[in-house]
Amino acid sequence: MNTLLDIQHISYTIDQKDLIQDLCFSIHTDEVVSIIGYNWSGKSTLLKLLLGSIHPTSWSIKKSGWVQLWYVPQKLSFVHDLPLTVRDFVKIYNQNIVQGYTPSCSF
């Protein structure tokens, strides 16, 4: 199994408080990764770090090939008839989608 993304020692500190400290993980080919955890455990912060929305205090990243990351925000500010397909939901935030999909972020 090839390693697509190898994150080493990612840390994020704000106002002298460590929100993420020395986290390491790898993502391999043919893996689908979900991040789950308790409220306020750092899930959204980690994704924002990986997407480049916020900058880590320190980290090392190695990539091999093309990696696509998607992020669904916790709070939505739209009114839409439910149910929604995944494609319809993503179109709300990314108007460039016509056919197939457009990545939110790619490395």
Side-chain angles (χ1 to χ4, degrees), residues 19-35:
L19 299 181
I20 296 177
Q21 186 176 13
D22 203 31
L23 178 66
C24 302
F25 65 93
S26 297
I27 299 174
H28 301 92
T29 54
D30 299 325
E31 285 185 333
V32 175
V33 178
S34 297
I35 300 172

Side-chain angles (χ1 to χ4, degrees), residues 88-105:
D88 289 340
F89 176 81
V90 173
K91 281 183 185 179
I92 292 168
Y93 287 95
N94 189 343
Q95 299 301 317
N96 297 325
I97 296 176
V98 177
Q99 281 185 313
Y101 58 85
T102 300
S104 297
C105 176

Side-chain angles (χ1 to χ4, degrees), residues 12-59:
Y12 182 68
T13 303
I14 189 166
D15 296 330
Q16 298 180 345
K17 181 178 179 183
D18 293 328
L19 299 181
I20 296 177
Q21 186 176 13
D22 203 31
L23 178 66
C24 302
F25 65 93
S26 297
I27 299 174
H28 301 92
T29 54
D30 299 325
E31 285 185 333
V32 175
V33 178
S34 297
I35 300 172
I36 59 172
Y38 295 108
N39 292 343
W40 296 96
S41 62
K43 303 176 300 290
S44 294
T45 301
L46 175 60
L47 289 173
K48 289 175 185 177
L49 287 165
L50 294 176
L51 291 169
S53 298
I54 57 177
H55 301 288
T57 307
S58 64
W59 74 339

Side-chain angles (χ1 to χ4, degrees), residues 14 32 43 52 58 60 65 69-70 74 78 80 96 99 106:
I14 189 166
V32 175
K43 303 176 300 290
S58 64
S60 168
L69 300 174
W70 290 78
Q74 291 181 24
F78 70 92
H80 201 286
N96 297 325
Q99 281 185 313
S106 58

Side-chain angles (χ1 to χ4, degrees), residues 71-80 82 84 89 92-93:
Y71 172 67
V72 178
Q74 291 181 24
K75 295 182 181 179
L76 306 175
S77 57
F78 70 92
V79 176
H80 201 286
L82 297 177
L84 291 175
F89 176 81
I92 292 168
Y93 287 95

